[in-house]
């Protein structure tokens, strides 16, 4: 085996060990692309379970555009075969499995679900059928046929009765009852296929399939043979194992069957053609010479041989032949015509005499002998001896000549093999012939009747195919008869060739082929009204009549959208939306009205017109303004003619001053509403300093008149900043300032830095401590204030001396600690007490605590056992219920098929 093929096989097998019970490979099936379509007439009777039966106007299956899940199934094969692998047949089956999640069974026409047990034809067509359907089919076929075989419902390949399926296997037949896993291909085990690749039996391929468990045939063997020999044996080169037999395009030059000439044909497979060299050849007897092909040089003429036999008295009566004519057939033992008397010395040209005794040769009836004397020629064929005969059925007995047959007039009332019609044959022995009438029962498809001879059991599936196509007939696919009601019509990408009748004929965009009437014109009408607007409704001109549906009427039709204007009617009143202002012409209060029904209206807002004070607005509801005679019209928002009888004056202002001061502040003016400038604001405003140490009080007019930089400067207290730095335990060393403290990472104060055991101590600058923390990957903010700087200095020799103590001294110290724990605790310093507070001796576990622990473990085990028992009961009940439902469904199917 080549190295590439072995590596690919090892990689595919190492992904998951082959198991016969469970699988864990996850793979999805890509959405398929339709296969190329044959011509619509004369559809072949192919099952819907075969993906090759689908045809449409699309391109061929392209595996390069499949999804990653399908590529994972093919990855191990492609690693050995490369991108040029021939996976067209496998791709068709995989795409069909992904597109049709529940394909119909060819026998019962019910959908095949991923959890249903199935059987796949492994001989030719690889059709997928229900397991119980194929078992019933095989039983009926083997019982009805004279030979104990049954055929596949699709390809009719004969299987022996011993190969009747009895269990549910995956596609590669390694796993019995494969579980329904939503992440792998249905009815597959998810492991490597491993079936032998017999794509070329002559090549002696011994490799196995590298794909995961898959439907359909296995792909060609991708292994590389280093010295593949061509058909004529003159050329060798490395080739694929599946294609190792090839033509070198040279002359064959092998000896032909005549052994005189060599084959002039190009290097080819199989035997060489007959020799076509012309020449003059004699027949076998040598009397006729003809010009014939070298492969036909041995022939016989039409004349008799006429040669003398070995006896020298008779001539050969055979036709043209080669060799000697042979001995005379009259030589040898000679007897009388009845064979009772021998004449040993009689010549071949002398006729033997009769013996005179009774002939006694068996007559044609097979029971009696010839009563005449020895005679030449054949005996009388008709036996006239009177015997007592009975008819075939045994109902009548009578004396008749031996050569006559006796039949009665009784009609057989037995049912024939079909179980529906009586035999009705006169004097039937019991071997009733097959029923000659037509079955004429309606098939499962519901469209046709069975045309086979009358039979028992279920009828064969309907062999016809239904073509479902678009209106133009260029896009179609075929399905088994009876399943067309559940199919959606294909979507055609061709253009509709029906011309429009409206005035937008040249402007309308072309649309795709469709059922029923063409979609309405989506362009705007564009007719001009008297008001100056144009009709903006959808085109309502004449439309072409609806076309008939081509093949299939869809199950569900979409509801037609509501069209405002009926096609063929005049334009409606102007529906152009215009904005009509209210009486007060308020902003954003315009109403959108159709142009044909536009009119002014009062809105729900207040009037909003400026009052005489010049600061406030009218709070009345929207009304027509009344303009005084001494006020110009430009000073009001809206001015209507004084001829309006329903005009109303605005109200008078009684409010306080609400003018925004300059400079602006949040304090209102204490004066009533006025037109002059407001007095300066003397209200005190409190502002804290930047560090929060003190609070300043400013006059509002003075503080607001300052610029931003001046306000920042005025708020500074002039003392040191009281804010703490964020990274170290020190205060800011700058003068009160706004914003972030500038010395966050530049703190120059001294910090005591210690080793991990706090034995060594050094003084560092605070910013160096921060840099050391960042260098070691620690955030200074996470370091406690009391531990700041601890652990930055490595421990030295003094630390090791303190830790290292001699064993006798340590043992003595432990004994003293056991004897005088109170005294030791009294003599230990406070700092050491705090340090050793976290290190305590382990507390012993009491007997009661151990008993409690064992009781808790025992209770947990009991609860787990009870839960598992309840779950098992529930699972068994659910399994029994599902089995009962399956039995009911099977019983209903049998009732529908007329078996019960």
């Amino acid at each position: 085996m080549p190295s590439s093929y072995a590596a690919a096989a090892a990689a595919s097998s190492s992904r998951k060990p082959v198991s016969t019970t469970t699988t864990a490979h996850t793979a999805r099936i890509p959405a398929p692309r339709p296969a190329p379509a044959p011509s619509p007439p004369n559809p072949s009777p192919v099952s819907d379970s075969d993906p090759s039966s689908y045809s449409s106007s699309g391109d061929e299956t392209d595996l390069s555009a499949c999804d990653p899940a399908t590529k994972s199934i093919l990855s191990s094969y492609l690693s050995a075969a490369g991108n040029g692998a021939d996976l067209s047949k496998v791709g068709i089956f995989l795409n069909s499995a992904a597109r049709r999640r529940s394909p119909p069974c060819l026998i019962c026409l019910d959908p095949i679900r991923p959890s249903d047990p199935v059987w796949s034809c492994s001989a030719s067509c690889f059709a997928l059928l229900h397991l119980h359907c194929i078992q019933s089919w095989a039983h009926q076929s083997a019982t009805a046929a004279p030979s104990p075989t049954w055929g596949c419902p699709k390809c009719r390949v004969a299987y022996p009765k011993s190969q009747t399926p009895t269990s549910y296997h995956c596609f590669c037949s390694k796993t019995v009852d494969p579980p329904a896993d939503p992440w792998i291909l249905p009815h597959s085990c998810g492991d490597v296929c491993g079936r032998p690749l017999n794509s070329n039996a002559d090549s002696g391929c011994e490799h196995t399939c590298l794909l995961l468990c898959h439907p359909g045939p296995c792909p060609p063997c991708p292994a590389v043979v280093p010295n593949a020999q061509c058909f004529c044996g003159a050329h060798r080169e490395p080739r694929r194992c599946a294609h190792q037999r090839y033509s070198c395009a040279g002359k064959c030059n092998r000896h032909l069957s005549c052994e005189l000439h060599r084959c002039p044909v190009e290097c080819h497979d199989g035997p060489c053609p007959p020799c076509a060299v012309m020449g003059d050849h004699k027949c076998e007897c040598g009397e006729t010479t003809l010009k014939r092909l070298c492969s036909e040089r041995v022939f016989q003429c039409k004349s008799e041989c006429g040669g003398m036999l070995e006896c020298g008295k008779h001539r050969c009566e055979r036709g043209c032949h080669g060799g000697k004519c042979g001995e005379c057939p009259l030589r040898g033992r000679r007897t009388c015509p009845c064979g009772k008397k021998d004449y040993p010395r009689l010549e071949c040209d002398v006729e033997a005499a009769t013996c005179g005794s009774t002939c006694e040769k068996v007559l044609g009836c097979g029971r009696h002998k010839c009563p005449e004397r020895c005679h030449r020629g054949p005996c009388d064929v008709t036996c006239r001896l009177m015997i007592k005969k009975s008819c075939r059925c045994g109902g009548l007995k009578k004396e008749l000549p031996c050569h006559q047959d006796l039949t009665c007039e009784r009609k057989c009332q037995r049912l024939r093999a079909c179980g529906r019609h009586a035999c009705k044959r006169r004097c039937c022995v019991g071997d009733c012939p097959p029923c000659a009438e037509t079955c004429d029962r309606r098939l499962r498809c519901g469209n046709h009747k069975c045309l086979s001879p009358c039979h028992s059991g279920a009828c064969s599936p309907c062999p016809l195919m239904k073509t479902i196509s678009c209106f133009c007939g260029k896009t179609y696919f075929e399905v088994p008869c009876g399943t067309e009601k559940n199919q959606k019509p294909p979507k055609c990408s061709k253009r509709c060739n029906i011309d429009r009748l409206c005035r937008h004929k040249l402007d309308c965009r072309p649309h795709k082929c469709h059922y029923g009437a063409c979609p309405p014109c989506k362009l705007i009408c564009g007719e001009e009204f008297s008001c100056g607007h144009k009709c903006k409704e959808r085109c309502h001109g004449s439309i072409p009549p609806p076309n008939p549906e081509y093949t299939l009427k869809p199950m569900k039709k979409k509801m037609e959208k509501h069209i405002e204007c009926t096609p063929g009617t005049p334009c409606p009143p102007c529906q152009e939306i215009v904005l009509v202002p209210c009486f007060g012409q308020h902003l954003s209060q315009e109403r959108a009205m159709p142009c044909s029904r536009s009119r002014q209206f009062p809105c729900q807002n207040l009037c909003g017109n400026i009052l005489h004070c010049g600061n406030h607005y009218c709070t009345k509801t929207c009304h027509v303004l009344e303009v005084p005679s001494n006020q110009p019209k430009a000073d009001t928002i809206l001015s209507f003619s004084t001829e309006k009888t329903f005009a109303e004056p605005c109200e008078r202002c009684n409010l306080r001053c609400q003018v925004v001061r300059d400079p602006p502040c949040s304090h209102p003016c204490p004066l009533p509403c006025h037109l002059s400038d407001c007095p300066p604001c003397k209200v005190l405003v409190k502002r804290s300093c930047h560090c929060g140490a003190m609070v300043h009080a400013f006059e509002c007019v003075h503080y607001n008149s300052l610029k931003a930089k001046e306000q920042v400067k005025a708020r500074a207290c002039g003392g040191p900043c009281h804010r703490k730095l964020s990274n170290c335990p020190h205060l800011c060393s700058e003068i009160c300032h706004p914003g972030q403290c500038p010395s966050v990472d530049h703190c120059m104060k001294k910090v005591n830095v210690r080793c991990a055991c706090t034995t060594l101590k050094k003084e560092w600058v605070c910013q160096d401590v921060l840099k050391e923390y960042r260098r070691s990957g620690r955030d200074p903010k996470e370091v406690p204030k009391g531990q700041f700087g601890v652990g930055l200095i490595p421990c030295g020799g003094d630390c090791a001396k303190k830790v290292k103590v001699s064993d006798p001294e340590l043992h003595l110290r432990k004994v003293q600690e056991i004897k005088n724990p109170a005294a030791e605790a009294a003599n230990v310093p406070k700092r050491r007490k705090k340090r050793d507070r976290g290190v305590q001796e382990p507390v012993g576990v009491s007997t009661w605590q151990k008993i409690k622990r064992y009781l808790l473990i025992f209770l947990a085990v009991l609860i787990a056992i009870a839960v598992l028992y309840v779950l098992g009961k529930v699972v068994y009940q659910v399994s029994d219920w599902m089995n009962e439902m399956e039995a009911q469904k099977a019983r209903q199917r049998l009732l529908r098929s007329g078996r019960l």
Side-chain angles (χ1 to χ4, degrees):
M1 181 183 293
S3 60
S4 60
Y5 190 88
S12 61
S13 61
S14 63
R15 185 185 310 168
K16 182 183 182 296
V18 177
S19 174
T20 58
T21 56
T22 59
T23 58
H25 181 73
T26 59
R28 297 177 183 267
I29 306 301
R33 298 180 63 184
S39 56
N42 304 324
S44 59
V46 185
S47 169
D48 189 32
S49 59
D50 185 6
S52 61
S53 63
Y54 288 92
S55 58
S56 66
S57 61
D59 299 333
E60 294 184 356
T61 304
D62 184 13
L63 289 176
S64 61
C66 61
D67 61 349
T70 305
K71 287 183 179 179
S72 65
I73 298 179
L74 309 174
S75 60
S76 58
Y77 182 87
L78 294 176
S79 63
N83 296 329
D86 183 13
L87 294 173
S88 57
K89 293 184 179 180
V90 179
I92 290 173
F93 279 89
L94 290 177
N95 290 344
S96 175
R99 176 178 63 180
R100 301 180 59 81
R101 290 292 182 182
S102 298
C105 176
L106 184 62
I107 298 176
C108 64
L109 297 183
D110 289 340
I112 300 176
R113 297 176 177 83
S115 59
D116 293 343
V118 296
W119 174 85
S120 178
C121 175
S122 60
S124 176
C125 62
F126 302 96
L128 199 65
L129 306 169
H130 283 123
L131 180 61
H132 58 84
C133 292
I134 194 63
Q135 288 175 345
S136 176
W137 174 272
H139 176 71
Q140 294 179 6
S141 301
T143 304
S147 60
T149 59
W150 56 277
C152 174
K154 179 182 178 296
C155 61
R156 305 297 179 182
V157 173
Y159 288 90
K161 192 175 181 180
S162 60
Q163 293 187 10
T164 302
T166 58
S167 58
Y168 171 35
H169 290 81
C170 63
F171 294 116
C172 62
S173 301
K174 289 189 298 186
T175 303
V176 181
D177 295 332
D181 193 342
W183 298 105
I184 62 175
L185 192 68
H187 317 296
S188 69
C189 60
D191 292 329
V192 178
C193 179
R195 288 182 284 184
L197 297 175
N198 297 325
S199 59
N200 192 351
D202 297 336
S203 62
C205 177
E206 299 179 354
H207 305 117
T208 57
C209 181
L210 295 178
L211 298 182
L212 300 183
C213 184
H214 61 90
C218 294
C221 182
V224 178
V225 177
N227 293 322
Q229 188 177 8
C230 66
F231 296 122
C232 65
H235 184 262
R236 290 178 179 272
E237 66 178 20
R239 294 181 69 88
R240 298 285 183 190
C241 181
H243 307 287
Q244 58 178 305
R245 299 287 291 166
Y246 65 97
S247 175
C248 63
K251 199 172 182 179
C252 180
N253 207 22
R254 286 185 291 184
H255 281 287
L256 298 176
S257 58
C258 64
E259 297 296 336
L260 301 175
H261 306 97
R262 292 183 178 270
C263 179
V265 186
E266 184 179 320
C267 180
H268 60 88
D269 189 14
C272 296
C275 183
V277 179
M278 298 294 293
D280 295 333
H281 302 283
K282 291 183 179 182
C283 66
E284 290 188 354
C285 65
E287 294 183 0
T288 305
T289 302
L290 296 176
K291 195 171 186 178
R292 300 174 65 87
L293 297 175
C294 182
S295 59
E296 301 174 356
R297 66 185 183 278
V298 180
F299 67 98
Q300 297 174 350
C301 61
K302 297 182 179 180
S303 60
E304 292 185 0
C305 175
M308 189 64 70
L309 298 177
E310 292 181 357
C311 65
K313 298 178 181 180
H314 299 93
R315 290 190 175 274
C316 180
E317 296 179 357
R318 292 189 299 169
C320 178
H321 65 86
K324 298 180 180 181
C325 293
E327 296 182 356
C328 180
L330 299 177
R331 270 191 174 185
R333 182 174 176 267
R334 301 289 300 278
T335 62
C336 64
C338 67
K340 293 181 180 179
K341 189 175 182 179
D342 293 337
Y343 300 99
R345 298 181 180 179
L346 193 64
E347 297 293 334
C348 62
D349 56 344
V350 179
E351 189 177 19
T354 58
C355 63
S357 62
T358 307
C359 179
E360 293 186 352
K361 289 183 180 179
V362 179
L363 298 177
C365 63
R367 294 189 300 174
H368 305 105
K369 296 181 179 180
C370 179
E372 297 181 2
R373 289 188 176 184
C374 181
H375 59 88
R376 293 183 179 89
C379 299
D380 191 4
V381 178
T382 304
C383 180
R384 291 179 174 82
L385 183 65
M386 298 296 292
I387 60 174
K388 192 173 184 178
K389 284 188 173 184
S390 61
C391 64
R392 290 178 297 183
C393 65
L396 178 64
K397 292 183 179 181
K398 189 177 181 181
E399 285 191 359
L400 288 174
C402 182
H403 70 277
Q404 292 185 5
D405 294 331
L406 179 61
T407 57
C408 65
E409 298 298 326
R410 179 184 297 176
K411 292 184 178 180
C412 181
Q413 299 298 328
R414 296 187 184 93
L415 292 178
R416 299 192 180 186
C418 63
R420 298 170 59 190
H421 304 99
C423 178
K424 299 294 183 182
R425 191 175 62 165
R426 292 180 180 179
C427 195
C428 180
V429 184
D431 53 344
C432 302
C435 187
E437 298 187 15
T438 307
C439 178
D440 204 35
R441 285 188 290 185
R442 189 166 293 278
L443 299 178
R444 292 297 302 270
C445 65
N447 300 327
H448 306 96
K449 293 183 179 180
C450 181
L451 301 179
S452 303
C454 190
H455 56 87
S456 61
C459 299
S460 300
C462 183
L464 302 178
M465 301 291 291
K466 288 290 185 179
T467 301
I468 302 176
S469 68
C470 63
F471 172 74
C472 65
K474 296 181 180 179
T475 304
Y476 60 91
F477 62 90
E478 295 179 348
V479 295
C481 181
T483 61
E484 68 274 5
K485 296 180 181 179
N486 300 326
Q487 305 295 331
K488 292 183 179 179
K491 294 182 179 180
C492 182
S493 60
K494 308 298 180 182
R495 291 178 56 178
C496 179
N497 52 8
I498 302 176
D499 296 332
R500 293 190 177 274
L501 302 179
C502 63
R503 66 193 195 96
H504 305 108
K505 178 179 180 180
L506 300 178
D507 299 334
C508 286
R509 294 179 57 186
H511 56 276
K512 296 181 180 180
C513 176
H514 58 86
Y515 286 105
C518 292
C521 179
K522 296 183 179 180
L523 298 180
I524 304 302
C525 176
E527 291 289 341
E528 188 173 355
F529 294 109
S530 59
C531 59
H533 300 119
K534 293 184 178 180
C535 181
K536 294 186 178 181
E537 299 291 339
R538 183 177 292 182
C539 178
H540 44 85
S542 301
I543 60 174
N547 48 33
E549 294 177 353
Y550 181 72
T551 301
L552 178 68
K553 186 175 182 180
M555 294 287 292
K556 295 181 180 179
K557 287 190 175 181
K558 295 182 178 179
M559 298 296 295
E560 296 183 356
K561 294 183 179 180
H562 175 67
I563 302 177
E564 291 80 2
C565 296
T566 306
T569 58
C571 295
C574 180
Q575 300 296 324
E576 178 72 19
I577 302 299
V578 294
L579 296 177
V580 180
C582 62
F583 290 141
Q585 288 191 353
H586 296 108
L587 296 177
S588 68
Q589 290 299 322
E590 296 85 357
R591 287 186 182 178
M593 299 182 181
C595 179
S596 57
R597 293 180 295 174
S598 61
R599 59 184 181 85
Q600 287 188 332
F601 62 94
C603 67
Q604 300 297 325
N605 293 342
L606 301 179
C607 174
N609 190 28
I610 298 178
L611 299 179
H612 297 284
C613 64
N615 297 327
H616 301 98
Y617 302 91
C618 177
T619 58
K620 288 185 178 181
T621 57
C622 181
H623 61 91
V624 180
L625 300 180
E626 180 181 4
V627 181
S629 58
N630 58 351
Q631 185 176 359
K633 295 181 179 180
D635 294 341
T636 58
I637 296 178
L638 178 67
S639 299
F640 278 94
S641 175
T642 55
E643 297 177 357
K644 298 282 185 179
T645 56
F646 48 84
E648 297 181 7
C650 294
E651 62 183 358
R652 294 184 176 276
C653 179
N654 294 322
L655 301 176
R656 299 186 63 180
C657 178
Q658 296 180 357
V659 177
V660 179
R661 295 186 173 186
D662 188 20
C665 67
S666 59
H667 307 109
C669 177
L671 301 178
C673 185
H674 58 89
L675 292 175
S676 59
D677 296 336
C678 297
C681 183
K682 300 294 185 178
V683 179
L684 295 178
V685 178
K686 294 182 179 180
R687 296 289 185 272
S688 62
C689 66
H690 303 299
C691 63
M694 62 181 301
V695 178
H696 299 280
F698 304 98
E699 285 188 357
C700 181
V701 63
H702 172 69
Y703 185 78
N704 290 334
S705 61
L706 297 176
K707 297 181 180 180
K709 292 184 179 180
E710 295 177 352
Q711 290 180 357
V712 171
K713 186 177 180 180
R715 289 179 57 182
C717 63
C721 183
H722 288 75
R723 288 180 289 183
K724 287 186 177 181
L725 300 180
S726 58
N727 295 334
C728 65
H730 306 117
L731 298 177
C732 179
S733 60
E734 301 291 333
I735 304 299
C736 181
H737 58 87
Q740 189 178 4
C741 295
S743 59
V744 172
D745 295 329
H746 302 282
C747 183
M748 299 301 295
K749 294 185 179 181
K750 300 292 183 178
V751 177
N752 291 329
V753 181
R754 300 178 182 272
C755 63
C757 62
T758 65
T759 302
L760 301 180
K761 182 177 71 172
K762 289 184 180 181
E763 276 192 355
W764 284 14
V765 182
C766 184
Q767 60 179 356
D768 295 339
V769 176
L770 297 177
K771 291 179 181 179
E772 181 65 21
Y773 273 124
R774 292 191 179 95
R775 187 187 63 81
S776 60
R778 298 177 60 187
D779 190 359
K781 295 181 180 179
E782 299 177 357
V783 180
K785 299 300 182 181
Q787 298 292 328
F788 190 76
V790 177
L792 296 181
I793 301 175
C795 293
D798 297 339
C799 300
K801 291 179 181 180
K802 289 185 178 182
V803 174
K804 187 175 180 181
V805 183
S806 61
D807 292 340
E809 183 180 354
L810 182 62
H811 180 70
L812 182 61
R813 187 181 302 173
K814 288 184 178 180
V815 172
Q816 292 177 359
E817 287 177 357
I818 293 173
K819 290 182 178 180
N820 300 320
E824 183 67 21
N827 297 329
V828 173
K830 291 184 179 180
R831 182 176 297 177
R832 185 173 177 184
K833 287 182 181 180
K834 292 181 180 179
R835 189 191 316 158
D836 298 336
R837 187 176 299 170
V839 183
Q840 296 180 3
E841 295 181 0
V843 181
V845 180
S846 62
T847 306
W848 172 242
Q849 289 179 348
K850 292 181 180 180
I851 294 173
K852 286 171 62 179
R853 186 180 303 169
Y854 292 146
L855 287 175
L856 289 175
I857 293 173
F858 180 73
L859 287 176
V861 171
L862 285 180
I863 292 172
I865 292 173
V867 170
L868 290 176
Y869 177 78
V870 173
L871 289 177
K873 282 287 186 180
V874 172
V875 169
Y876 282 130
Q877 291 178 0
V878 172
S879 178
D880 294 339
W881 177 77
M882 293 178 67
N883 292 336
E884 184 179 356
M885 295 300 294
E886 290 293 334
Q888 290 181 3
K889 290 183 179 179
R891 197 178 300 109
Q892 291 177 1
R893 293 194 189 99
L894 293 175
L895 289 174
R896 287 199 299 267
S897 61
R899 300 176 188 173
L900 294 180

